[in-house]
Amino acid sequence: MKTKFRTIFDRLFTGVSAFSAVLLTAILLIVLGPMIIKGSTAVFFRGTVEFRKLQRDEFNRGNNTELEKEIEPAEKTRRFVYEIIDSFKRGVDPQSLTDQVRQLNRQYGQELRSKGITGDDYRDLREAARQIRDKLEETFNSADKDLINENIGFVLELKKDERFKGTAVEEMFTIADDFGRAIEEIDLQKREKYAQSLAEVEDILFGSEQMPGLLGPKPGDKLPQTIRLRYGATRWDVAKKLLNDLLYPVQWVEIENGKPLVPQRHSRAEEFEGTRLEPLFAYIENELPEMLKPKLTFYWQYFVDKSIDSHYFGGVGPEILGTILLTITAMIFVIPLGVISAAFLVECSANNLIIKIIRMCINTLAGVPSIVFGLFGLAFFVLYFLPAFGAGPKGSILAASLTLAVLTLPLMIRASEEAIRSVPQTYKEASLALGAGSFKTFVKVTLPAALPGILTGIILSLSRVAGETAPVLFTGAVAMGTLPRSILDPTMTLSYGSYNIATGDNIGMQVPHKQFGMIVTLVLLILLLNAAAILLRSRISKKLKGMR
Amino acid sequence: MTEEENEMQTDSLEQGTRKSKVRPVIRMTEKTRSAKKLAEGCDCAIVKSENFGFYYGSQVGVKNITMDIFPCSVTAIIGPSGCGKSTFLRSINRINDLIPHTHIEGKLLVNGHNVYDKNTSLVNLRQQIGMVFQKPNPFPKSIFDNVAYGPRLQGVKNRSLLQQTVEESLRSAALWDEVKDDLKKSALALSGGQQQRLCIARALATKPNVLLMDEPCSALDPIATGKIEDLIDQLQKDYTIVIVTHNMQQAARVSERTAFFCLGELIEYDTTVKIFRNPGKKQTEDYVTGRFG
């Protein structure tokens, strides 16, 4: 009976442990899986012709003639979009037409003066042009179809006047003519609504202040200052999202009185039903692949490129470099200090009150939140310690890595202490019995034998150092800038970079793949560093066990 | 020396464990024995203990030990567990210093020099006195590095000199033939007996006068034990060996003089033959005959 129970308990124990192992693996997969999949889209994606343009302009990459060959048909397909929007805009946007006409009128005045026409002729012609301008302005802002037709008829009558041929006034006639035809299809009551929706369409297609558009700025327009606005959708997934917004805009509707508004999508094409803009949407939907030419892209340069326009484009090269630099510099401080302190705690000291207090302090330090270390680093290393040696009171790699070193030192000391303590006493005795001093014994026997355990400490510290954000926040990390030239310059890091993308800008919303990419890069980097350390550790412990 | 003589000598000592037929123990001739007897007379003890006592805090390790250990001989220390035999042995090269809160009394002289003198150089002392421990404890290094550890500490850097020392030591420890092809191999890949002989070779490499052995065979099987015992017999020509052992047959087989410790005190110290055949004290007799209670 008793044995039966024992077997059941044994099986239960085995089952529970197997289950927890499976659970852990599943949790790991659930956490890391989606992140890695999303992060990989920073490197693997369908890049459009805009992406290749960007690569050419910013990194001098790719074959220019081939790219031109690609751009040309794309531009040809896009031309229809530009034309149809321009012509539709004439009907609904009185303000821009008014501005245009006023500009032409001023131009005409200059033309006349440069031709040397003076006196009565000049006065007559100016008067006529002004009259045309006024009539047109009235027309553009009117909602009365009869008035519009009358005014346009009046203006077009003047077209017969030979004197206006080849001048700026002739363009005014063209505008009037176009407007007349554009207005025929438009329900004038809806003009304002059209204008509003058209502005949205234009923003989505050509980019607004905040967001790059689907196709990029219209050819002939002034190039925007912000680099991200100079290009259309560089990625096919972004393009598809924009297309959806274009075709089916979101509207917040009140379904029930007093209830919160609910987003609903409706068809944009229906909004423009009956106008000449209506076919545009079907055209864009069908021809978008032709306009953007998506191609499967492996953007491995993501890991070496610098970021462009605060991580909107480009890669994380400087961040990787900065993280590695920071980690190495911190480890240069942590490893010797940690090992020496641990050696002192184990070997050289009697177990008295002071040592107990020191050990307690170390244990407490290991549990202090990292932001506290960050502020300490700012107050001590950045503002006091380094300036004492002539460095400016600014964040630097040195200050940041010193802060990180202080942060992980307790961890390192504890791991090394355990490792040194676990070296068999007989090794020490053997060495001492051969006439070695305690220092020689430590260096030649204890340290090599403790190396696997110390390496475990190094692995833990390494991961901590590479991934910490808070300590470097104030002490040496920047979001953007040039590559550090010396150890006294601040640097970009992966951890701070992803923090910054998430909080500093709304870039995290616009280019989530960049953020995931950065996080995955960080995870991969730490994994890589760890893999190297673990490999080294297994080699050493194999050697220590006499297996090699 | 013939096989017969050999057997006759060991017969009375080794009651029950008659393995000597299978592996004859090499013994000194009567001639060298008498030569040693002479040496004993002229008071040239290499280790001299005068009322020596060693205390762990207030607890007695050993006390009132007065005994002379003579050069080029094997001295065995026997006694029940906790009787202080290891403590005494480990006091000779001061390896007990690792333990905090200890103190000593009396004198312990090695080559006429007080070991516990303030001016004693521990490094020199320990190079004079080699030690072999209970469990084989080679360093996790190669065989060569293990043996060369002592000479390197002494500052020998010359590769060929090191090689020579290593070979000599390994030959002395009767291990050379087994490992000569693979000195780069990790010491931990050797068998237990080989490891213990390697430790002996390591101790010999510093060219000590005295070799302390703290139950060197307790972790070994009988065959390996036999090899170590043979080795001890060979080594006593050149080294003074002090061996602590639980195995009374072993003490009888290898040693020339035997000390019996009990409860931290030296009960009896005499030639092995006398201790085992005709002990002077009741306590010793009880222990040696197995009636100790």
Side-chain angles (χ1 to χ4, degrees):
Chain A
M1 189 62 187
K2 266 186 180 170
T3 12
K4 203 176 169 188
F5 269 125
R6 220 180 289 162
T7 344
I8 290 172
F9 275 128
D10 280 359
R11 285 206 187 130
L12 207 67
F13 178 69
T14 319
V16 167
S17 21
F19 175 73
S20 54
V22 170
L23 194 72
L24 255 173
T25 320
I27 289 172
L28 198 71
L29 283 179
I30 289 167
V31 171
L32 283 182
M35 204 163 78
I36 287 175
I37 290 168
K38 282 193 169 180
S40 66
T41 56
V43 183
F44 261 121
F45 55 93
R46 283 160 74 98
T48 64
V49 67
E50 297 292 324
F51 175 76
R52 294 186 278 284
K53 258 198 258 179
L54 169 89
Q55 290 288 309
R56 179 193 60 185
D57 297 349
E58 299 295 335
F59 297 105
N60 267 326
R61 238 174 243 150
N63 189 332
N64 198 15
T65 47
E66 241 171 66
L67 185 59
E68 287 296 342
K69 253 187 242 163
E70 212 175 8
I71 291 174
E72 214 205 305
E75 285 295 334
K76 208 180 266 172
T77 338
R78 289 178 193 189
R79 209 166 294 151
F80 173 72
V81 178
Y82 301 137
E83 278 166 9
I84 201 169
I85 283 184
D86 273 350
S87 69
F88 182 74
K89 205 172 171 184
R90 281 193 202 112
V92 295
D93 189 0
Q95 192 54 46
S96 77
L97 287 174
T98 311
D99 288 349
Q100 230 174 327
V101 169
R102 281 186 183 158
Q103 173 66 28
L104 285 170
N105 182 39
R106 272 197 293 281
Q107 200 184 324
Y108 183 59
Q110 279 164 11
E111 273 174 25
L112 287 179
R113 271 196 297 281
S114 67
K115 275 183 196 159
I117 297 169
T118 46
D120 287 349
D121 275 353
Y122 175 77
R123 219 174 300 129
D124 277 359
L125 286 169
R126 283 301 280 144
E127 196 50 50
R130 261 187 219 126
Q131 201 182 359
I132 294 170
R133 182 196 69 188
D134 292 342
K135 282 273 181 210
L136 283 178
E137 263 182 51
E138 191 188 8
T139 313
F140 294 149
N141 292 310
S142 158
D144 182 356
K145 218 156 207 176
D146 292 337
L147 180 75
I148 291 171
N149 282 336
E150 190 194 317
N151 278 349
I152 286 182
F154 171 82
V155 171
L156 291 181
E157 269 310 297
L158 292 170
K159 203 179 172 184
K160 288 169 192 142
D161 197 330
E162 286 293 317
R163 288 176 300 176
F164 292 132
K165 229 175 202 137
T167 62
V169 178
E170 198 164 27
E171 266 178 65
M172 288 201 228
F173 294 142
T174 322
I175 289 171
D177 197 18
D178 279 347
F179 182 74
R181 254 178 291 144
I183 213 78
E184 276 167 27
E185 311 145 1
I186 294 173
D187 184 350
L188 287 175
Q189 307 304 319
K190 285 190 184 168
R191 214 159 70 163
E192 226 152 81
K193 233 179 96 192
Y194 285 148
Q196 207 183 352
S197 193
L198 182 69
E200 264 177 46
V201 169
E202 277 191 302
D203 277 355
I204 291 173
L205 282 178
F206 311 125
S208 62
E209 292 281 306
Q210 293 86 30
M211 279 276 282
L214 191 58
L215 303 177
K218 268 192 276 187
D221 279 7
K222 219 175 96 195
L223 266 187
Q225 283 288 313
T226 329
I227 295 173
R228 78 182 77 157
L229 299 180
R230 291 185 192 170
Y231 299 93
T234 51
R235 304 162 60 95
W236 186 239
D237 52 342
V238 175
K240 277 204 291 203
K241 213 177 120 231
L242 285 171
L243 181 70
N244 195 29
D245 282 348
L246 178 75
L247 298 178
Y248 306 102
V250 176
Q251 209 170 23
W252 292 83
V253 236
E254 189 180 34
I255 291 178
E256 233 178 292
N257 227 0
K259 285 275 167 66
L261 300 183
V262 178
Q264 266 185 353
R265 285 186 184 272
H266 62 276
S267 167
R268 180 101 64 182
E270 275 170 25
E271 236 175 81
F272 288 98
E273 210 170 359
T275 66
R276 66 168 68 180
L277 204 64
E278 196 189 348
L280 174 79
F281 302 102
Y283 180 81
I284 292 181
E285 192 173 7
N286 294 328
E287 298 293 322
L288 195 65
E290 280 305 302
M291 289 187 231
L292 289 173
K293 304 211 180 279
K295 228 195 255 174
L296 205 61
T297 313
F298 175 44
Y299 179 42
W300 61 269
Q301 291 99 331
Y302 180 72
F303 297 111
V304 286
D305 278 351
K306 66 181 192 328
S307 86
I308 288 192
D309 195 1
S310 51
H311 284 291
Y312 209 89
F313 301 126
V316 292
E319 277 82 4
I320 293 178
L321 189 76
T323 304
I324 291 174
L325 260 178
L326 215 55
T327 311
I328 290 174
T329 324
M331 291 326 268
I332 287 174
F333 294 114
V334 168
I335 295 171
L337 262 176
V339 172
I340 291 169
S341 318
F344 171 76
L345 285 176
V346 179
E347 305 272 346
C348 306
S349 58
N351 203 14
N352 56 24
L353 189 68
I354 297 173
I355 296 299
K356 273 180 192 155
I357 290 173
I358 290 177
R359 197 166 279 139
M360 204 180 74
C361 291
I362 291 170
N363 288 345
T364 314
L365 272 182
V368 170
S370 51
I371 185 72
V372 176
F373 283 100
L375 285 169
F376 163 76
L378 173 70
F380 184 69
F381 291 122
V382 176
L383 298 178
Y384 175 74
F385 184 71
L386 291 179
F389 291 96
K394 61 161 187 172
S396 61
I397 295 179
L398 190 59
S401 46
L402 280 169
T403 312
L404 287 169
V406 174
L407 172 81
T408 49
L409 207 50
L411 200 76
M412 188 68 205
I413 292 175
R414 270 161 64 172
S416 310
E417 207 186 324
E418 282 310 309
I420 292 169
R421 213 185 282 285
S422 68
V423 173
Q425 183 76 11
T426 55
Y427 286 176
K428 280 177 222 164
E429 281 178 355
S431 172
L432 289 173
L434 287 166
S438 55
F439 176 71
K440 274 269 167 89
T441 301
F442 181 73
V443 172
K444 297 241 161 151
V445 177
T446 312
L447 198 58
L451 216 51
I454 292 174
L455 270 169
T456 306
I458 292 176
I459 291 167
L460 289 174
S461 317
L462 205 75
S463 316
R464 184 106 199 257
V465 165
E468 275 291 351
T469 312
V472 297
L473 200 62
F474 312 117
T475 52
V478 283
M480 271 159 277
T482 49
L483 284 178
R485 287 195 183 170
S486 80
I487 206 160
L488 293 174
D489 284 339
T491 180
M492 291 161 264
T493 79
L494 285 168
S495 56
Y496 181 66
S498 30
Y499 166 77
N500 193 59
I501 287 188
T503 59
D505 226 317
N506 63 348
I507 275 190
M509 303 271 283
Q510 293 181 22
V511 276
H513 57 273
K514 281 274 136 86
Q515 200 178 355
F516 279 110
M518 211 183 250
I519 293 284
V520 169
T521 312
L522 180 60
V523 171
L524 287 183
L525 189 72
I526 291 175
L527 274 181
L528 213 70
L529 288 171
N530 277 359
I534 287 168
L535 211 71
L536 191 67
R537 182 177 62 180
S538 76
R539 280 176 70 113
I540 290 172
S541 30
K542 259 189 196 162
K543 208 173 163 190
L544 285 178
K545 282 178 193 145
M547 281 153 76
R548 271 164 38 85
Chain B
M1 188 173 67
T2 65
E3 192 84 89
E4 267 177 35
E5 271 174 339
N6 194 4
E7 203 155 301
M8 268 168 66
Q9 266 185 349
T10 52
D11 199 7
S12 55
L13 298 178
E14 296 179 19
Q15 294 142 349
T17 55
R18 304 198 45 166
K19 286 193 179 117
S20 55
K21 245 185 187 171
V22 191
R23 64 179 166 72
V25 176
I26 302 155
R27 296 223 151 258
M28 286 172 132
T29 58
E30 283 301 319
K31 254 184 193 171
T32 50
R33 258 175 212 284
S34 48
K36 287 238 168 118
K37 289 257 165 60
L38 276 172
E40 279 166 34
C42 66
D43 188 31
C44 54
I46 187 161
V47 179
K48 209 173 168 66
S49 160
E50 289 170 12
N51 285 325
F52 180 74
F54 190 94
Y55 298 85
Y56 302 101
S58 57
Q59 206 188 335
V60 179
V62 289
K63 65 180 180 191
N64 276 333
I65 307 289
T66 305
M67 66 186 275
D68 293 350
I69 292 166
F70 297 101
C72 294
S73 68
V74 179
T75 306
I77 302 177
I78 60 171
S81 289
C83 69
K85 48 193 194 311
S86 281
T87 305
F88 177 68
L89 191 79
R90 292 161 72 94
S91 302
I92 297 174
N93 70 345
R94 283 184 65 177
I95 205 88
N96 268 344
D97 286 12
L98 287 179
I99 304 160
H101 314 302
T102 58
H103 70 274
I104 58 130
E105 61 186 27
K107 267 190 191 169
L108 190 61
L109 304 166
V110 173
N111 279 335
H113 184 85
N114 190 0
V115 167
Y116 282 90
D117 201 67
K118 268 188 184 157
N119 303 324
T120 305
S121 150
L122 279 181
V123 171
N124 286 345
L125 176 76
R126 287 170 182 167
Q127 278 172 3
Q128 266 179 49
I129 306 176
M131 187 158 189
V132 178
F133 295 84
Q134 186 169 357
K135 263 168 78 181
N137 58 351
F139 300 131
K141 298 168 188 273
S142 72
I143 294 169
F144 184 91
D145 286 342
N146 259 284
V147 182
Y149 187 81
R152 275 182 181 147
L153 283 176
Q154 288 170 358
V156 180
K157 289 213 174 84
N158 187 326
R159 183 85 194 162
S160 62
L161 193 62
L162 274 177
Q163 222 134 21
Q164 199 187 327
T165 317
V166 168
E167 188 181 335
E168 272 172 24
S169 310
L170 284 171
R171 275 189 198 283
S172 309
L175 190 62
W176 175 253
D177 291 332
E178 288 161 58
V179 299
K180 65 181 172 195
D181 300 324
D182 207 358
L183 291 176
K184 288 264 169 290
K185 198 165 73 171
S186 169
L188 295 171
L190 296 173
S191 73
Q194 286 176 322
Q195 285 188 11
Q196 194 63 300
R197 274 181 283 152
L198 179 70
C199 291
I200 293 172
R202 186 176 63 186
L204 295 180
T206 54
K207 307 215 160 52
N209 301 322
V210 182
L211 201 56
L212 306 177
M213 292 184 162
D214 190 358
E215 300 179 41
C217 302
S218 65
L220 303 181
D221 67 80
I223 295 166
T225 305
K227 282 188 181 164
I228 302 278
E229 283 176 13
D230 291 352
L231 180 62
I232 291 171
D233 253 352
Q234 279 171 10
L235 289 175
Q236 69 167 327
K237 280 181 231 150
D238 305 309
Y239 301 93
T240 307
I241 294 173
V242 186
I243 177 168
V244 164
T245 177
H246 268 301
N247 184 339
M248 276 177 284
Q249 280 76 33
Q250 185 175 54
R253 279 197 299 267
V254 300
S255 71
E256 204 172 313
R257 301 183 135 257
T258 300
F260 174 59
F261 277 49
C262 192
L263 296 173
E265 280 177 279
L266 177 63
I267 306 297
E268 196 172 347
Y269 178 46
D270 214 321
T271 59
T272 304
V273 179
K274 183 145 190 292
I275 292 277
F276 281 92
R277 278 188 189 154
N278 187 20
K281 294 207 173 141
K282 179 85 172 59
Q283 240 177 322
T284 318
E285 195 186 338
D286 283 353
Y287 186 73
V288 169
T289 53
R291 266 177 302 182
F292 189 83

